[in-house]
Amino acid sequence: MKRKIVRIDQEKCTGCGLCVTPCAEGAIQIVNGKARLIREELCDGAGFCLPICPQGALIIEEREAPAFDAAAAAAHQRQAAPAPTCFRCNAGEADRPLLPVRWRGESLWVCTRCLPALIHG
């Protein structure tokens, strides 16, 4: 099946890891010093990782790939890493929606309640 999915240019990737946090499905990991799409069925093609990359190493392309598997992505996230929480109030996804954000050079998560204060001070 053809679908939109992330492609990582290994020549441009510096292995900084900034693209890992915005990938809510955990499809991107640093392997041998470079970002890698570890399993194509975990990538939903949303592209939250793209604008974070300072090298422009990530793009969304349409190509043959297995269908996105939401159940596999959820299972992978449960075993791969702790659930993301808001960096300001520690609220989790069960409490309110979380959004990826860059703050003071870091890729973090912020909840919808804390976002306005983050934007407006």
Side-chain angles (χ1 to χ4, degrees), residues 11-84:
E11 295 295 317
K12 290 182 180 178
C13 178
T14 62
C16 70
L18 296 176
C19 57
V20 174
T21 300
C23 182
E25 293 75 25
I28 299 174
Q29 291 183 2
I30 302 299
V31 178
N32 295 326
K34 298 279 186 165
R36 303 254 191 239
L37 187 62
I38 59 162
R39 289 178 31 207
E40 292 181 338
E41 69 273 14
L42 299 180
C43 178
D44 66 359
F48 289 119
C49 53
L50 271 61
I52 299 298
C53 181
Q55 304 303 317
L58 288 81
I59 63 166
I60 296 288
E61 66 180 6
E62 190 166 337
R63 63 180 168 84
E64 290 290 326
F68 171 65
D69 186 340
H76 175 72
Q77 276 302 93
R78 281 192 299 276
Q79 68 177 335

Side-chain angles (χ1 to χ4, degrees), residues 21-25 77-78 81-87 90-100 108-111:
T21 300
C23 182
E25 293 75 25
Q77 276 302 93
R78 281 192 299 276
T85 58
C86 175
F87 80 99
N90 286 327
E93 291 180 305
D95 304 311
R96 58 188 72 99
L98 297 176
L99 303 166
L108 303 167
W109 293 95
V110 66
C111 73

Side-chain angles (χ1 to χ4, degrees), residues 96-107:
R96 58 188 72 99
L98 297 176
L99 303 166
V101 65
R102 291 281 297 160
W103 178 253
R104 297 183 177 161
E106 292 185 69
S107 293

